[in-house]
Every structure is written in structure tokens, then in C-alpha cells.
Amino acid sequence: MRLNRKDLLGIEELSKEEIELILSTAASFKEVSEREIKKVPTLRGKTIINLFYEASTRTRTSFEIAAKRMSADAVNISVAASSAKKGETLKDTAKNLEAMNPDCIVVRHSSAGAPHMLARYLKSSVINAGDGAHEHPSQALLDMFTVKERLGRLEGLRIVIAGDIAHSRVARSNMHGFKKMGAEVTLCGPPTMMPKGIESICGVKSDMKDAIKDADVIMMLRIQLERQKEALFPSVREYSRVYGLDNEKLNGSKKDVIILHPGPVNRGVEISPEVADGPWSLILEQVKNGVAVRMALFYLLLGGVKE
Amino acid sequence: MKPKVVMDKKSVERAMARIAHEILERNRGVENLVILGIPTRGYHLAMMLQKKIEEIEGVSLQAGAVDATLYRDDIGLKEAQPLKKMDIPFPIDGKTVIMVDDVFFTGRTIRAAMNALMDFGRPVSIQLAVLVDRGHRELPIRADYVGKNIPTSLKEDVKVHVEELDGTSEVVVMPTEDRRRQ
């Protein structure tokens, strides 16, 4: 089994076997980050550009550390400091970057499909680090990795994804991923934050306690506070009371349930501090595993024969 | 040409027992020794060696696995290879590392494994034990302990089988094309 593709654009187009390959490769890479010398020479001489048109701390740092631990050279470009501010189009920026011969461009953009467009124009590999409300494949892979590492399997698990589903690329990628791996996905959130017609693909519940009562995994999404002016929810306090995960709601769930959150966390809004820091929370484990998953992606995409 | 068994279970066992004795003789006992096998089958041979030494000296040496995959010099020349077991759960600084592989061929795997090892610490010395030396070295590397020298042509493949994975321990020589067809 090999990952026979130039780019990683989304979970939707990956097969179950490809996801398994990425997860098992990541398991081997986790060991590298635990060494005293946290570096292997595998991707010596490769150049990886992180092109981020949206703010990011965790994801960008994670890709950068992953690249460096593989001995690739990582270059970070954030929009505030780039020529996009001067009106250069995405395509022109990418073409100019490509003229400097990178092997991989990791791109985050507010428009869905931006990485796909780049992948068509560029000879280098493209990894989607989040495109609009579409996909965030490396996040879903690290979420699946974290669950599999803790519970030993994905097949047959009950996963609840709760929050602003409609605007969440994390939810979309995870939904595709967990379903492909044989888990059962239930979505929970206010009806204004549910994509139309989603019931035909996933279970949908609007009552949080009911949704989580027999869940193996609860994935809380970050509520985008800037969306409050779109009137998708009446007030932060009400959202938190109805959909926020706290000890009281958690009381009705399985005793060994695990809790994920892609970050950044709004403490006291979608998740209470005692839950975020509690024994069921794997939030920091997710961040740790993110580096291993991204090392695996670089290895599988860049460590083979160049066509 | 048909696959030919050049070492059966008995001769593999005997060769490993002799290597165990040679290691103890050369190092004057077990002091400071650790064993690291190169997966997949070098690791199983390392486990066998650990057992043989324990039978002789009554001491179970620390043993682990050192995967050379990420240190290879043919990355980018063929498909990204699956990673294997990397397990060095003890410090190797100041130790004499007995590195174990199944078939000693070009020497490139050993070079890669030594580089991997150096990322984990600074052993006082590294000694190489192999079950089969088939010749055709491409790097100036030699083995300290050899189970059997088997002169081969480049059209042949040497396969080591181990109990845990293949049902029995033996060494088989077969034509290269044969393996490609399998």
C-alpha cells in the first residue's frame, strides 16, 4: 500500500486503506519526537513552504516543526507580511513561489477550493491546511489517530461532533474520515448551524445530553464568536447553557468517554474549563499527535520517487 | 534454478550459538553489552542471540530494534518504504552495541543503521553480527561475526526465515526473478 498522489487536499477523496497507511506511518513517527535528537535526515534538501492566508498558531507551527524534524527546510509566509496585501492574486503568488523550486506548499485559505486550484497549477505537492468551510484533512487525520491510539480502533465507535457544523471544515473532514473508518457519526448543534440536508448522511440531534449519552468520543467545535452578528445564536451565554460541554452534561455520558477539541478553545463557551482540563480531555494529546501525522504526510508525499 | 535451502534450522541455531560464544570471548563477558537488531528479521535474530547468551552466561542482555528506513540513501529513488520497529528503550552511551542483521550485502543498510544509532547516543563501540554474508559490498564496512559466508551472484536472492514469522529458521537462496514473481 502506498499513497499514490501528489497532493493531500481532503479526506473525502482518500480511501480507507490510504487513511490506515497514514495513521500507521504516523504511529512510527511519534517515536522521533520523543528522542533527545528529534530529527531524522529523511527529507534533507527538500523545501516546504507554509502559505497561510488565515491566522493560525497551532497548525502552522505543527507543519513547521514536522518539516524540520524531517530535515526539510521550512519557510513560513503569512498574509499580513506578503504581497497579497499589495493585490497579487493567489495564482501569481503560487507561481512565483514555485519559481524558487519548493517540493511542497502547505496552504490555508479562506476560500474553499483554493488548494485544489493551486494543486492544478503547480508541480510541487500541495497540502490543504484548511480551505474555507470545506476541509482540514490533517486535523481529521490527527483526530482519528488520537482516538485510535486511545481506544485501539475506529470501527464501530460512536462519535458526536457538536457545535457550528455548517461553518466547520474540521467537522466536514472528520465526518468523512470517521465514517470511512466504520465509525458512526452524530452531529449536534443549533438548527441554524446545521447544513441543509445533512440528515441523509449523518445522524442529527439538537439535544446535547441526548446526543452524548452513549458516545465514545465527543468532539467539541470552536464557536466562532464573530458569527453572533449573523444571528445564528441569540447570545453566547445561551449557547453555552444549551450546547456548552460541562460536568453537568457530561454526567449523563459514558464514564470512559473521550473529549476532543481542535482549538483554539473558548473556555466557558463551548467547553467549560473543568472539562477542557479534565481527565477525559485529549486536547493536548491531539496537538502532540499533530506533529507525527504531519511528518507522516510529508514522508508519504515527498519520500518517494519523483515522477 | 529452484530455491535452495543452504542452512537448515539446526545450522542456523549452531551458527547463532557460535556467534554468542565469539561475542562473549571477544568482549570478555557481558559487561556493557547491548543488542540491537535491524528489523524485520535481524530483530528476530537479535532476540535469538539474546537467548543464546543468556543460556551461556545466565545474563539477559538489554535488546531492542534499530530501524534504518529513515536514514537510507535511496530515499527518493524508490517508493516511500513502510517504517519498521524502532525500539531503543535504554541508553546506549558508553555501551558496546552488538548490531544484528540477517543478510550482509552492499553494506548500505548497516551504514544507515549506524547513523540512526548515533542519533540515540554515543556507543563506545559498535560490532556487527550477521547470519549470512553474501558479498558484493559497496561500502567499506565489514562484519565482526558471521554465521556463514555464502558467495552469491547478483542474480540470486538470499532469504533468511525465522521461526516467529516464517514457521522455521533457515536460509534460502533463490533466483531474483523468482521473488519478483511471488
Side-chain angles (χ1 to χ4, degrees), chain A residues 66-146:
Chain A
K68 288 180 170 167
R69 289 197 179 153
M70 298 295 288
S71 293
D73 297 303
V75 179
N76 294 310
I77 300 168
S78 58
V79 72
S82 80
S83 41
K85 283 268 185 252
K86 299 177 189 164
E88 189 174 58
T89 65
L90 174 62
K91 184 182 167 188
D92 279 339
T93 302
K95 279 287 187 196
N96 276 277
L97 292 175
E98 176 143 279
M100 293 181 252
N101 261 332
D103 299 277
C104 179
I105 295 184
V106 178
V107 64
R108 168 171 288 191
H109 200 280
S110 56
S111 299
H116 305 67
M117 186 190 88
L118 290 189
R120 279 196 304 277
Y121 287 130
L122 302 180
K123 285 191 293 292
S124 50
S125 292
V126 174
I127 295 180
N128 180 1
D131 61 330
H134 179 222
E135 280 235 36
H136 189 352
S138 63
Q139 177 71 44
L141 290 164
L142 75 89
D143 290 338
M144 289 187 273
F145 181 88
T146 304

Coordinates of all heavy atoms in Angstrom, one line a residue, chain A residues 66-146:
Chain A
A66 N 7.1 19.7 12.0 CA 7.1 18.4 11.3 C 8.2 18.4 10.2 O 9.0 17.5 10.1 CB 5.7 18.1 10.8
A67 N 8.1 19.5 9.4 CA 9.1 19.6 8.3 C 10.5 19.6 8.9 O 11.4 18.9 8.3 CB 8.8 20.9 7.5
K68 N 10.8 20.4 9.9 CA 12.1 20.5 10.5 C 12.6 19.2 11.1 O 13.8 18.8 11.0 CB 12.2 21.6 11.5 CG 12.1 23.0 10.8 CD 12.2 24.1 11.7 CE 12.4 25.4 10.9 NZ 12.1 26.6 11.6
R69 N 11.7 18.4 11.7 CA 12.1 17.1 12.3 C 12.4 16.1 11.2 O 13.1 15.1 11.4 CB 11.0 16.6 13.2 CG 11.0 17.5 14.5 CD 10.3 16.9 15.6 NE 10.4 17.8 16.7 CZ 9.6 18.0 17.7 NH1 8.5 17.2 17.8 NH2 9.8 18.9 18.6
M70 N 11.9 16.4 10.0 CA 12.3 15.5 8.8 C 13.5 16.0 8.1 O 13.8 15.5 7.0 CB 11.1 15.4 7.9 CG 9.8 14.9 8.4 SD 10.0 13.2 8.9 CE 10.0 12.4 7.3
S71 N 14.1 17.1 8.6 CA 15.3 17.8 8.0 C 14.9 18.5 6.7 O 15.9 18.9 5.9 CB 16.4 16.8 7.7 OG 16.9 16.3 8.9
A72 N 13.7 18.8 6.4 CA 13.3 19.6 5.3 C 13.5 21.1 5.7 O 13.5 21.4 6.9 CB 11.9 19.4 4.8
D73 N 13.7 22.0 4.7 CA 13.7 23.4 5.1 C 12.3 24.0 5.0 O 11.6 23.8 4.0 CB 14.6 24.1 4.1 CG 16.1 23.6 4.2 OD1 16.6 23.7 5.3 OD2 16.6 23.1 3.2
A74 N 11.9 24.6 6.1 CA 10.5 25.2 6.1 C 10.6 26.7 6.0 O 11.3 27.3 6.7 CB 9.8 24.7 7.4
V75 N 9.7 27.2 5.2 CA 9.6 28.7 5.0 C 8.2 29.1 5.3 O 7.2 28.4 4.8 CB 9.9 29.1 3.6 CG1 9.8 30.6 3.4 CG2 11.3 28.6 3.2
N76 N 8.0 30.1 6.2 CA 6.6 30.4 6.5 C 6.3 31.8 5.9 O 7.0 32.7 6.0 CB 6.5 30.6 8.0 CG 6.6 29.3 8.7 OD1 6.0 28.3 8.3 ND2 7.5 29.2 9.7
I77 N 5.1 31.8 5.3 CA 4.6 33.1 4.7 C 3.2 33.3 5.3 O 2.3 32.5 5.2 CB 4.5 33.0 3.2 CG1 5.9 32.7 2.6 CG2 4.0 34.3 2.7 CD1 5.8 32.3 1.2
S78 N 3.0 34.4 6.0 CA 1.7 34.8 6.5 C 1.2 36.0 5.7 O 2.0 36.8 5.3 CB 1.7 35.0 8.0 OG 2.6 36.0 8.3
V79 N -0.1 36.1 5.6 CA -0.6 37.0 4.6 C -0.3 38.5 5.0 O 0.0 39.3 4.2 CB -2.1 36.8 4.5 CG1 -2.9 37.2 5.7 CG2 -2.7 37.5 3.3
A80 N -0.3 38.8 6.3 CA 0.0 40.1 6.7 C 1.3 40.7 6.2 O 1.4 41.9 5.9 CB 0.0 40.2 8.3
A81 N 2.3 39.8 6.0 CA 3.6 40.2 5.6 C 3.8 40.0 4.1 O 4.9 40.2 3.6 CB 4.6 39.5 6.4
S82 N 2.8 39.6 3.4 CA 3.0 39.1 2.0 C 2.5 40.1 1.0 O 1.8 41.1 1.3 CB 2.4 37.8 1.8 OG 1.0 38.0 1.5
S83 N 2.8 39.8 -0.3 CA 2.3 40.7 -1.3 C 0.9 40.6 -1.7 O 0.4 41.3 -2.6 CB 3.2 40.5 -2.6 OG 3.5 39.2 -2.8
A84 N 0.1 39.6 -1.1 CA -1.3 39.6 -1.3 C -1.9 40.9 -0.8 O -2.9 41.4 -1.4 CB -1.9 38.5 -0.5
K85 N -1.3 41.5 0.2 CA -1.7 42.8 0.6 C -1.6 43.9 -0.5 O -2.2 44.9 -0.5 CB -0.9 43.3 1.8 CG -1.3 42.6 3.1 CD -2.3 43.5 3.9 CE -2.7 42.9 5.2 NZ -4.0 42.2 5.3
K86 N -0.6 43.6 -1.4 CA -0.4 44.6 -2.5 C -1.2 44.2 -3.7 O -1.0 44.7 -4.8 CB 1.1 44.6 -2.9 CG 2.0 45.0 -1.7 CD 3.5 44.9 -2.1 CE 4.4 45.1 -1.0 NZ 5.8 44.7 -1.3
G87 N -2.1 43.2 -3.6 CA -3.0 42.9 -4.7 C -2.6 41.8 -5.6 O -3.3 41.5 -6.6
E88 N -1.6 41.0 -5.2 CA -1.2 39.9 -6.0 C -2.2 38.8 -5.9 O -2.7 38.5 -4.8 CB 0.2 39.4 -5.6 CG 0.8 38.4 -6.6 CD 2.2 38.0 -6.2 OE1 2.5 37.5 -5.1 OE2 3.1 38.1 -7.1
T89 N -2.5 38.1 -7.0 CA -3.5 37.0 -6.9 C -2.8 35.8 -6.3 O -1.6 35.7 -6.4 CB -4.1 36.6 -8.3 OG1 -3.0 36.1 -9.1 CG2 -4.7 37.8 -9.0
L90 N -3.7 34.9 -5.8 CA -3.2 33.6 -5.3 C -2.4 32.9 -6.3 O -1.3 32.3 -6.0 CB -4.4 32.8 -4.8 CG -4.1 31.4 -4.3 CD1 -3.2 31.4 -3.1 CD2 -5.4 30.7 -4.0
K91 N -2.9 32.8 -7.5 CA -2.2 32.1 -8.6 C -0.8 32.7 -8.8 O 0.2 31.9 -8.9 CB -3.0 32.1 -9.8 CG -2.4 31.2 -10.9 CD -3.3 31.3 -12.2 CE -2.5 30.7 -13.4 NZ -3.2 31.0 -14.7
D92 N -0.7 34.0 -8.9 CA 0.6 34.6 -9.2 C 1.5 34.4 -8.0 O 2.7 34.1 -8.2 CB 0.4 36.1 -9.4 CG 0.0 36.5 -10.8 OD1 0.2 35.6 -11.7 OD2 -0.6 37.5 -11.0
T93 N 1.0 34.5 -6.8 CA 1.9 34.2 -5.6 C 2.4 32.8 -5.7 O 3.6 32.6 -5.5 CB 1.1 34.4 -4.3 OG1 0.5 35.7 -4.3 CG2 2.0 34.2 -3.1
A94 N 1.6 31.9 -6.0 CA 2.0 30.5 -6.0 C 3.0 30.2 -7.1 O 4.0 29.6 -6.9 CB 0.8 29.6 -6.2
K95 N 2.7 30.8 -8.3 CA 3.7 30.6 -9.4 C 5.0 31.2 -9.1 O 6.1 30.7 -9.5 CB 3.1 31.3 -10.7 CG 2.0 30.5 -11.4 CD 2.7 29.3 -12.1 CE 1.8 28.6 -13.0 NZ 2.4 27.3 -13.3
N96 N 5.0 32.4 -8.4 CA 6.3 33.0 -8.0 C 7.0 32.1 -7.0 O 8.2 32.0 -7.1 CB 6.1 34.4 -7.5 CG 6.0 35.4 -8.6 OD1 7.0 35.9 -9.1 ND2 4.8 35.7 -9.1
L97 N 6.3 31.6 -6.1 CA 6.9 30.7 -5.1 C 7.5 29.5 -5.8 O 8.6 29.0 -5.5 CB 5.9 30.3 -4.0 CG 5.4 31.4 -3.1 CD1 4.3 30.9 -2.1 CD2 6.6 32.0 -2.3
E98 N 6.7 29.0 -6.7 CA 7.2 27.7 -7.4 C 8.5 28.0 -8.2 O 9.3 27.1 -8.3 CB 6.1 27.2 -8.3 CG 6.6 26.0 -9.1 CD 5.6 24.9 -9.3 OE1 5.3 24.1 -8.4 OE2 5.0 24.9 -10.4
A99 N 8.6 29.2 -8.6 CA 9.9 29.5 -9.4 C 11.1 29.3 -8.5 O 12.2 29.2 -9.0 CB 9.8 31.0 -9.9
M100 N 10.9 29.3 -7.2 CA 12.0 29.0 -6.3 C 12.2 27.6 -5.9 O 12.9 27.2 -5.0 CB 11.8 29.9 -5.0 CG 12.0 31.4 -5.3 SD 11.8 32.4 -3.9 CE 10.2 33.2 -4.1
N101 N 11.4 26.7 -6.6 CA 11.6 25.3 -6.5 C 11.3 24.6 -5.2 O 12.0 23.8 -4.7 CB 13.0 24.9 -6.9 CG 13.0 24.4 -8.4 OD1 12.0 23.9 -8.9 ND2 14.1 24.5 -9.0
P102 N 10.1 24.9 -4.6 CA 9.8 24.2 -3.4 C 9.3 22.8 -3.7 O 8.9 22.5 -4.9 CB 8.6 25.0 -2.8 CG 8.0 25.6 -4.0 CD 9.1 25.8 -5.0
D103 N 9.3 21.8 -2.8 CA 8.8 20.5 -3.1 C 7.4 20.4 -2.6 O 6.7 19.5 -3.0 CB 9.7 19.5 -2.3 CG 11.1 19.5 -2.8 OD1 11.4 18.9 -3.9 OD2 11.9 20.2 -2.2
C104 N 7.0 21.2 -1.7 CA 5.6 21.1 -1.1 C 5.1 22.5 -0.7 O 5.9 23.3 -0.1 CB 5.6 20.1 0.0 SG 4.0 19.9 0.8
I105 N 3.9 22.8 -1.0 CA 3.3 24.0 -0.4 C 2.1 23.6 0.4 O 1.2 22.9 0.0 CB 2.9 25.0 -1.6 CG1 4.1 25.4 -2.3 CG2 2.1 26.2 -1.0 CD1 3.9 26.5 -3.4
V106 N 2.2 24.1 1.7 CA 1.1 23.8 2.6 C 0.2 25.1 2.6 O 0.8 26.2 2.9 CB 1.6 23.6 4.0 CG1 0.5 23.3 5.0 CG2 2.5 22.4 4.0
V107 N -1.0 25.0 2.3 CA -1.8 26.3 2.1 C -3.0 26.3 3.0 O -3.8 25.3 3.1 CB -2.1 26.6 0.6 CG1 -3.0 25.5 0.0 CG2 -2.7 27.9 0.4
R108 N -3.3 27.4 3.6 CA -4.5 27.7 4.3 C -5.1 28.9 3.7 O -4.4 29.9 3.5 CB -4.3 27.9 5.8 CG -5.6 28.5 6.4 CD -5.5 28.5 7.9 NE -5.6 27.1 8.5 CZ -5.7 26.9 9.8 NH1 -5.8 27.9 10.6 NH2 -5.8 25.6 10.2
H109 N -6.4 28.8 3.3 CA -7.1 30.0 2.6 C -8.5 30.0 3.0 O -9.1 29.0 3.4 CB -6.9 29.8 1.1 CG -7.1 31.0 0.3 ND1 -8.4 31.6 0.1 CD2 -6.2 31.9 -0.2 CE1 -8.2 32.7 -0.6 NE2 -6.9 32.9 -0.8
S110 N -9.1 31.3 3.0 CA -10.4 31.4 3.5 C -11.4 30.9 2.4 O -12.6 30.7 2.7 CB -10.7 32.9 3.8 OG -10.4 33.7 2.7
S111 N -11.0 30.7 1.2 CA -11.9 30.2 0.1 C -11.8 28.7 0.0 O -10.7 28.2 -0.2 CB -11.6 30.9 -1.2 OG -11.7 32.3 -1.1
A112 N -13.0 28.1 0.0 CA -13.0 26.6 -0.3 C -12.5 26.4 -1.7 O -12.8 27.2 -2.6 CB -14.4 26.1 -0.2
G113 N -11.6 25.4 -1.9 CA -11.1 25.1 -3.2 C -9.8 25.8 -3.6 O -9.2 25.4 -4.6
A114 N -9.3 26.7 -2.8 CA -8.1 27.4 -3.1 C -6.9 26.4 -3.3 O -6.2 26.5 -4.3 CB -7.8 28.5 -2.1
P115 N -6.7 25.4 -2.4 CA -5.6 24.5 -2.5 C -5.8 23.6 -3.7 O -4.8 23.2 -4.4 CB -5.7 23.6 -1.2 CG -6.6 24.4 -0.3 CD -7.5 25.2 -1.1
H116 N -7.0 23.3 -4.1 CA -7.3 22.5 -5.3 C -6.8 23.2 -6.6 O -6.2 22.6 -7.5 CB -8.8 22.1 -5.4 CG -9.3 21.5 -4.1 ND1 -9.4 22.1 -2.9 CD2 -9.7 20.2 -3.9 CE1 -9.8 21.3 -2.0 NE2 -10.0 20.1 -2.6
M117 N -7.1 24.5 -6.6 CA -6.7 25.3 -7.7 C -5.1 25.3 -7.8 O -4.6 25.1 -8.9 CB -7.2 26.7 -7.6 CG -6.9 27.6 -8.8 SD -7.3 29.3 -8.5 CE -5.8 29.9 -7.9
L118 N -4.5 25.5 -6.7 CA -3.0 25.5 -6.7 C -2.5 24.2 -7.1 O -1.5 24.1 -7.9 CB -2.5 25.9 -5.3 CG -2.7 27.3 -4.8 CD1 -2.0 27.5 -3.5 CD2 -2.2 28.3 -5.8
A119 N -3.1 23.1 -6.7 CA -2.6 21.8 -7.0 C -2.6 21.6 -8.5 O -1.8 20.9 -9.1 CB -3.5 20.7 -6.3
R120 N -3.6 22.2 -9.2 CA -3.7 22.0 -10.6 C -2.6 22.8 -11.3 O -2.1 22.4 -12.3 CB -5.1 22.5 -11.2 CG -6.2 21.4 -11.0 CD -7.4 21.8 -11.8 NE -7.9 23.1 -11.6 CZ -8.8 23.3 -10.5 NH1 -9.2 22.4 -9.7 NH2 -9.2 24.6 -10.4
Y121 N -2.2 24.0 -10.8 CA -1.3 24.8 -11.5 C 0.2 24.4 -11.2 O 1.1 24.7 -11.9 CB -1.4 26.3 -11.0 CG -2.6 27.0 -11.6 CD1 -3.5 27.7 -10.8 CD2 -2.9 26.9 -13.0 CE1 -4.6 28.3 -11.3 CE2 -4.0 27.5 -13.5 CZ -4.9 28.2 -12.7 OH -5.9 28.8 -13.2
L122 N 0.4 23.8 -10.0 CA 1.8 23.6 -9.5 C 2.3 22.2 -9.7 O 1.5 21.3 -9.5 CB 1.9 24.1 -8.0 CG 1.5 25.5 -7.7 CD1 1.6 25.7 -6.2 CD2 2.3 26.5 -8.5
K123 N 3.6 22.1 -9.9 CA 4.2 20.8 -10.0 C 4.5 20.3 -8.6 O 4.6 19.1 -8.4 CB 5.5 20.9 -10.8 CG 5.3 21.0 -12.3 CD 6.6 20.8 -13.1 CE 7.6 21.9 -12.8 NZ 7.2 23.3 -13.4
S124 N 4.7 21.2 -7.6 CA 5.0 20.7 -6.3 C 3.8 20.2 -5.6 O 2.6 20.4 -6.0 CB 5.6 21.8 -5.5 OG 4.8 23.0 -5.6
S125 N 4.0 19.4 -4.6 CA 2.9 18.8 -3.8 C 2.1 20.0 -3.1 O 2.8 20.9 -2.7 CB 3.4 17.8 -2.7 OG 3.9 16.7 -3.4
V126 N 0.8 19.8 -2.9 CA 0.0 20.8 -2.2 C -0.7 20.1 -1.0 O -1.3 19.0 -1.3 CB -1.0 21.5 -3.1 CG1 -1.9 22.4 -2.2 CG2 -0.3 22.3 -4.2
I127 N -0.5 20.6 0.2 CA -1.3 20.1 1.3 C -2.3 21.1 1.8 O -1.9 22.3 2.0 CB -0.4 19.7 2.5 CG1 0.5 18.5 2.0 CG2 -1.2 19.3 3.7 CD1 1.5 18.1 3.1
N128 N -3.5 20.7 1.9 CA -4.6 21.7 2.3 C -4.5 21.7 3.9 O -4.8 20.8 4.6 CB -6.0 21.1 1.9 CG -7.1 22.0 2.3 OD1 -6.9 23.0 3.0 ND2 -8.3 21.6 2.0
A129 N -4.2 22.9 4.3 CA -4.2 23.1 5.8 C -5.5 23.9 6.3 O -5.5 24.5 7.3 CB -3.0 23.9 6.2
G130 N -6.5 23.7 5.5 CA -7.8 24.4 5.8 C -8.2 25.3 4.7 O -7.5 26.3 4.4
D131 N -9.3 25.0 4.0 CA -9.9 25.9 3.0 C -11.3 26.2 3.3 O -12.2 25.4 3.1 CB -9.7 25.3 1.6 CG -10.4 24.0 1.4 OD1 -10.6 23.2 2.4 OD2 -10.8 23.7 0.2
G132 N -11.5 27.5 3.7 CA -12.9 28.0 4.0 C -13.6 27.0 4.9 O -13.0 26.6 5.9
A133 N -14.8 26.7 4.6 CA -15.6 25.8 5.5 C -15.6 24.4 4.9 O -16.5 23.6 5.1 CB -17.0 26.3 5.6
H134 N -14.6 24.1 4.0 CA -14.6 22.9 3.2 C -13.9 21.7 3.9 O -14.6 20.9 4.5 CB -14.0 23.2 1.9 CG -13.9 22.0 1.0 ND1 -12.8 21.7 0.2 CD2 -14.8 21.0 0.7 CE1 -13.0 20.6 -0.5 NE2 -14.2 20.1 -0.2
E135 N -12.6 21.7 4.0 CA -11.9 20.6 4.6 C -10.6 21.0 5.3 O -10.1 22.1 5.1 CB -11.4 19.6 3.5 CG -12.6 18.7 3.0 CD -12.3 17.2 3.2 OE1 -11.6 16.8 4.1 OE2 -12.7 16.4 2.3
H136 N -10.2 20.2 6.3 CA -9.0 20.4 7.0 C -8.5 19.0 7.3 O -8.5 18.5 8.4 CB -9.3 21.2 8.3 CG -8.1 21.6 9.1 ND1 -6.8 21.3 8.8 CD2 -8.0 22.4 10.2 CE1 -6.0 21.8 9.6 NE2 -6.7 22.5 10.5
P137 N -7.9 18.4 6.2 CA -7.6 17.0 6.3 C -6.6 16.6 7.4 O -6.8 15.6 8.1 CB -7.1 16.6 4.9 CG -6.8 17.9 4.3 CD -7.7 18.9 4.9
S138 N -5.6 17.4 7.6 CA -4.6 16.9 8.6 C -5.1 17.0 10.0 O -4.7 16.2 10.8 CB -3.3 17.8 8.5 OG -3.5 19.1 8.8
Q139 N -6.1 17.9 10.2 CA -6.8 17.9 11.6 C -7.6 16.6 11.8 O -7.5 16.0 12.8 CB -7.7 19.1 11.7 CG -8.4 19.2 13.0 CD -7.6 19.5 14.2 OE1 -6.7 20.4 14.1 NE2 -7.8 18.8 15.3
A140 N -8.3 16.2 10.7 CA -9.1 15.0 10.9 C -8.2 13.8 11.1 O -8.5 12.9 11.8 CB -10.0 14.8 9.7
L141 N -7.1 13.7 10.4 CA -6.2 12.6 10.5 C -5.6 12.5 11.9 O -5.5 11.4 12.5 CB -5.1 12.7 9.5 CG -5.5 12.5 8.0 CD1 -4.4 13.0 7.0 CD2 -5.8 11.0 7.8
L142 N -5.3 13.7 12.5 CA -4.7 13.6 13.8 C -5.8 13.3 14.9 O -5.5 12.7 15.9 CB -4.0 14.9 14.2 CG -4.7 16.2 14.5 CD1 -5.0 16.3 16.0 CD2 -3.9 17.4 14.1
D143 N -7.0 13.7 14.6 CA -8.1 13.3 15.5 C -8.4 11.8 15.4 O -8.5 11.2 16.5 CB -9.4 14.1 15.0 CG -9.4 15.6 15.3 OD1 -8.5 16.0 16.2 OD2 -10.1 16.4 14.7
M144 N -8.4 11.3 14.2 CA -8.6 9.8 14.1 C -7.4 9.1 14.8 O -7.6 8.1 15.4 CB -8.7 9.4 12.6 CG -10.0 9.8 12.0 SD -10.2 9.2 10.3 CE -9.4 10.4 9.4
F145 N -6.2 9.6 14.6 CA -5.0 9.0 15.2 C -5.1 9.0 16.7 O -4.9 8.0 17.3 CB -3.8 9.8 14.7 CG -2.5 9.2 15.3 CD1 -1.8 8.2 14.6 CD2 -2.0 9.7 16.5 CE1 -0.6 7.7 15.1 CE2 -0.8 9.1 17.0 CZ -0.1 8.2 16.3
T146 N -5.6 10.1 17.2 CA -5.7 10.2 18.7 C -6.7 9.3 19.3 O -6.5 8.6 20.3 CB -6.1 11.7 19.1 OG1 -5.1 12.6 18.5 CG2 -6.1 11.9 20.6

